[in-house]
Amino acid sequence: MTVLTLPERNLEILAGTLDENFRYLGERLRVRLTARGDTVSVDGDPEAVELTGKLLQALGKLLASGYSVGKEEFRTALRVLEEDPGVDLVEFFTDASIPDSVKRLVVPRNLKQRLFIQALNKFDLVFAVGPAGTGKTYLAVAMAAAALAEHRVKRIVLTRPAVEAGERLGFLPGDLVEKVNPYLRPVYDALYDILGYDRVARHLERGVIEIAPLAFMRGRTLNDSFMLLDEAQNTTPEQMKMFLTRLGFHSRAAITGDVTQIDLPNEKTSGLVQARQILGNLTGICFFDFFKEDVVRHKLVEKVVAAYEAHDEARRGNGS
């Protein structure tokens, strides 16, 4: 058993509402925590007890420095330590390489997300490939919003290919823009979460933020812009080339997609897959990979992704 001493108020904050953080920690690491005054005793497997001590001491330092630690920060810190017990949690949450405006908008939820934010900050062209729930689109939108807030770009252009994945566009009501708007809904949702509905509405009205189907990008050159192509696995090679050649002066682009969810008809080649083959060795371009272990949605999402991967491997093994 280990006994830790922290300011009583900080222990109350770390424990969470009705001790929900400590209960979550106890279930996750199978340790028992007992807090009295300014001390907390931790009992359980020695490695789990050591990890718990590192977690509470690091979060205590963050609180002492004025950093706000809520439920999400507590769970993120635990997730990060489970990935790498040697990580410096204080440095993780206060990383100077991540723009301040990003920290105000969104906090990376694991080590991979922090590395992705750093890549988006370093490279003008970043491809992010991985399963749903890893934060690819959300973080790319956050970086776009940060670049706009810091006046590094003058506008944000967000786009997706409108691929009929079981649905038919022709039967949807409205003109072409109204037909493809449902396909762009996840991008709107991320913007609303990060910037708020009113600010997004103002930016959309003024053209500072533009959300459009990929077909509308043809023939344009976008200067001073942050461009995001989402669901890029559903682009054709021609569409991918067209998008990449829209990049103008003082602009940057992020391309996100999941190559396990290609909905192109007739087994056409994915523009995202081909882009890696063609551009993978070029300097100045970053290809960033997420895996099922990096999923940060509901814990069942990671299990769902793993189950589908196992099913696909079994089918390939059977030749079916």
Side-chain angles (χ1 to χ4, degrees), residues 158-184:
L158 310 174
T159 186
R160 292 177 114 197
V163 173
E164 298 175 351
E167 301 87 3
R168 294 295 178 186
L169 285 172
F171 289 98
L172 293 174
D175 58 21
L176 178 58
V177 174
E178 292 170 325
K179 288 177 186 291
V180 300
N181 257 347
Y183 291 84
L184 298 166

Side-chain angles (χ1 to χ4, degrees), residues 59-298:
L59 293 181
K61 288 181 181 178
L62 282 169
L63 285 171
S65 70
Y67 195 95
S68 178
V69 177
K71 181 174 73 173
E72 289 303 321
E73 286 75 20
F74 188 94
R75 296 190 178 193
T76 294
L78 177 56
R79 187 184 302 115
V80 168
L81 270 185
E82 287 178 315
E83 292 177 10
D84 181 3
V87 74
D88 184 337
L89 280 177
V90 175
E91 195 273 337
F92 175 86
F93 283 102
T94 60
D95 188 353
S97 67
I98 298 177
D100 288 338
S101 54
V102 177
K103 294 176 186 176
R104 290 194 294 269
L105 296 172
V106 66
V107 176
R109 296 303 178 193
N110 55 29
L111 290 172
K112 206 62 172 293
Q113 287 193 355
R114 183 178 71 163
L115 291 173
F116 181 49
I117 289 176
Q118 290 172 344
L120 287 168
N121 196 44
K122 179 180 179 181
F123 293 92
D124 286 342
L125 182 55
V126 178
F127 290 80
V129 183
T134 52
K136 306 182 301 296
T137 301
Y138 201 89
L139 292 175
V141 172
M143 287 297 288
L148 184 65
E150 296 174 357
H151 306 290
R152 289 184 282 120
V153 298
K154 294 181 180 178
R155 61 177 168 171
I156 299 172
V157 180
L158 310 174
T159 186
R160 292 177 114 197
V163 173
E164 298 175 351
E167 301 87 3
R168 294 295 178 186
L169 285 172
F171 289 98
L172 293 174
D175 58 21
L176 178 58
V177 174
E178 292 170 325
K179 288 177 186 291
V180 300
N181 257 347
Y183 291 84
L184 298 166
R185 197 77 251 163
V187 177
Y188 280 99
D189 291 341
L191 277 174
Y192 292 148
D193 282 351
I194 293 165
L195 294 178
Y197 183 88
D198 290 340
R199 186 182 297 179
V200 171
R202 289 195 302 270
H203 285 332
L204 286 169
E205 184 179 348
R206 297 170 184 170
V208 175
I209 295 177
E210 179 182 348
I211 304 178
L214 184 57
F216 284 23
M217 301 289 288
R218 190 172 300 278
R220 304 174 63 187
T221 300
L222 299 169
N223 298 317
D224 301 301
S225 302
F226 193 113
M227 302 158 53
L228 169 62
L229 171 58
D230 190 33
E231 295 291 329
Q233 76 276 4
N234 288 329
T235 60
T236 64
E238 294 78 15
Q239 287 175 323
M240 177 62 74
K241 181 181 178 182
M242 181 270 291
F243 176 82
L244 293 175
T245 52
R246 300 309 93 197
L247 197 64
F249 293 110
H250 311 297
S251 291
R252 53 202 311 121
I255 296 98
T256 63
D258 179 0
V259 294
T260 69
Q261 297 192 39
I262 297 173
D263 299 313
L264 291 170
N266 303 322
E267 298 183 353
K268 287 186 177 179
T269 300
S270 165
L272 180 58
V273 173
Q274 189 190 70
R276 185 164 210 153
Q277 298 168 351
I278 296 173
L279 307 176
N281 294 324
L282 294 184
T283 57
I285 299 176
C286 175
F287 282 85
F288 195 96
D289 291 302
F290 287 97
F291 303 99
K292 63 178 182 292
E293 295 81 10
D294 304 315
V295 171
V296 290
R297 286 183 182 170
H298 192 289

